[in-house]
Amino acid sequence: MARRLLVAALAVAVTIVTIVASAAAETRSWQHVPVPAQVRPQAALNEAVAFGPDRAWAVGADAVGREAPGFPLMLRWDGTAWQRENLPGSRWQGELLSIAATSPTSVWAVGRDAAGGAHLLRHDGNGWNESRPPAGVVLTRAVAGGGETWLIGSRDGAQVLLRRDGRGWQDVPVPPGSVHGLHILAADDVWAAGATASGAAVSHWNGQTWQQTIVDGFPRSAVSSVLAVSPTEVWAGGTAGFVGGPPGRPIPPLLVRFDGQTWSQVPVPTDFGSISSLTPTPSGTLGWVSVARSQKWGPEGSSPPLVPGPDFLAWNGQSFTEYGEPAVVGEGDSWVLRLAPVPGTETVWSVGRADGPEGTFAPRILRFG
């Protein structure tokens, strides 16, 4: 009798644990993570990179007012909190635009000062130091992957791509139009997201030439983020083109998928906004899509006619699950959402900037998992 009661009690306990675990899994959500207290309220973050649960960086600008230029801002996550990182020698006014890395001892950040000059910073595992940027190039973004580091920028008004070859930065041919984002698998396997006069374009580099495809032919459409899962699964996201409509009309998001043969548009559960970031799961498949300024049509006859849409979409291989960002006291919604996955985990960071009080803005850091 006692044995049966013990078995029954254990079964009940296991059931309770299972229910609690399932409930916890179902209620997981994005959480707000505060920035260091010494960061000014009108700071903003542009991008982040993570190496593990206790190591990540985020870059942006620490503002000094609504109009005056700010100063380059670097934050580091130590597993418990975000701390401001020391940048010796970086006393220029401006902002850090992008950060990328092939390893914790080879991290690159690009910035621009108030006069439009380019800045390139490198972390070698011991600290940050200014590195000489490529001559005559205005830098906008650093991208890393497959052991490669590339830079996106412009020279004399024309876009340039540069690849780190171990000794310096070498020019790489640029596909027609403009490039907004890259996914680098290897030196001879690079995907580029961008736009041309004919519409949104995705290009593939085989080490010798670019092969470009127009993935959306509507006017003013563009893709800014691309994720290559395999030769038969590539995703790209941005904004769809539109024709007509009143000034200030919201723009629909654009998400497209390549199956190895053709590109096709993938429906998303929001009507307006910009897909600003795609990020993979630990296995390399599509995990998350962020939608900046997401809006949906409200019920017929509602006023206002638009309601907030999902800020984040989790992909399970078949469909999307919608998530909103948490409310932050004294601040509005984010209008920049840049994702950074934590390798080997389901944790994902989102950094950017949000609406602040009275037309100002505020830094925003969110975490899932």
Side-chain angles (χ1 to χ4, degrees):
M1 180 67 176
R3 181 185 178 92
R4 286 197 299 271
L5 289 174
L6 177 60
V7 171
L10 289 173
V12 170
V14 169
T15 301
I16 292 174
V17 169
T18 301
I19 292 173
V20 170
S22 299
E26 292 174 358
T27 57
R28 287 195 303 171
S29 61
W30 286 85
Q31 303 295 325
H32 176 244
V33 182
V35 299
Q38 66 268 33
V39 175
R40 296 178 178 87
Q42 289 196 68
L45 296 170
N46 294 318
E47 202 166 53
V49 64
F51 294 103
D54 60 351
R55 185 176 301 184
W57 279 284
V59 297
D62 198 0
V64 295
R66 295 191 184 187
E67 302 298 334
F71 290 89
L73 175 63
M74 176 81 69
L75 302 180
R76 179 171 180 171
W77 174 255
D78 62 9
T80 303
W82 287 94
Q83 307 290 340
R84 186 159 190 162
E85 189 89 329
N86 184 36
L87 297 175
S90 298
R91 306 198 182 280
W92 42 275
Q93 285 188 278
E95 67 177 318
L96 293 173
L97 303 169
S98 178
I99 186 169
T102 54
S103 73
T105 58
S106 184
V107 189
W108 296 88
V110 301
R112 187 179 304 166
D113 61 35
H119 291 265
L120 183 62
L121 282 66
R122 183 176 184 178
H123 192 283
D124 60 3
N126 296 311
W128 287 96
N129 292 285
E130 292 255 2
S131 179
R132 186 184 299 275
V137 177
V138 177
L139 299 172
T140 56
R141 194 166 180 191
V143 186
E148 295 274 306
T149 303
W150 289 34
L151 301 176
I152 303 175
S154 62
R155 182 191 294 118
D156 297 327
Q159 189 167 50
V160 295
L161 297 176
L162 300 111
R163 171 181 175 266
R164 184 77 177 175
D165 67 357
R167 299 180 303 276
W169 299 98
Q170 303 298 325
D171 277 63
V172 177
V174 182
S178 57
V179 173
H180 302 311
L182 299 170
H183 186 193
I184 306 169
L185 299 173
D188 58 356
D189 192 1
V190 181
W191 293 84
T196 71
S198 299
V202 175
S203 306
H204 181 254
W205 172 254
N206 63 7
Q208 300 294 325
T209 60
W210 290 98
Q211 180 179 358
Q212 186 175 82
T213 303
I214 303 301
V215 297
D216 185 82
F218 277 78
R220 298 187 290 276
S221 64
V223 285
S224 59
S225 186
V226 60
L227 175 67
V229 176
S230 71
T232 59
E233 185 180 352
V234 183
W235 299 77
T239 53
F242 64 97
V243 178
R249 171 188 173 182
I251 302 174
L254 174 66
L255 182 65
V256 292
R257 182 179 184 177
F258 181 61
D259 62 6
Q261 298 293 327
T262 59
W263 288 88
S264 57
Q265 189 164 337
V266 179
V268 292
T270 188
D271 297 307
F272 303 103
S274 172
I275 292 178
S276 55
S277 200
L278 308 174
T279 199
T281 64
S283 63
T285 60
L286 177 66
W288 288 94
V289 176
S290 62
V291 187
R293 295 301 198 190
S294 177
Q295 293 179 297
K296 291 182 176 182
W297 288 112
E300 186 175 353
S302 63
S303 181
L306 298 176
V307 298
D311 303 292
F312 303 100
L313 304 173
W315 177 252
N316 64 7
Q318 300 293 328
S319 61
F320 289 108
T321 300
E322 303 175 33
Y323 290 86
E325 66 174 322
V328 179
V329 176
E331 298 178 9
D333 296 333
S334 293
W335 49 286
V336 173
L337 298 164
R338 296 290 302 174
L339 300 174
V342 179
T345 75
E346 295 185 357
T347 301
V348 180
W349 291 101
S350 172
V351 303
R353 64 186 72 188
D355 290 322
E358 299 180 358
T360 62
F361 54 87
R364 178 66 56 84
I365 301 181
L366 306 173
R367 181 177 63 183
F368 185 91

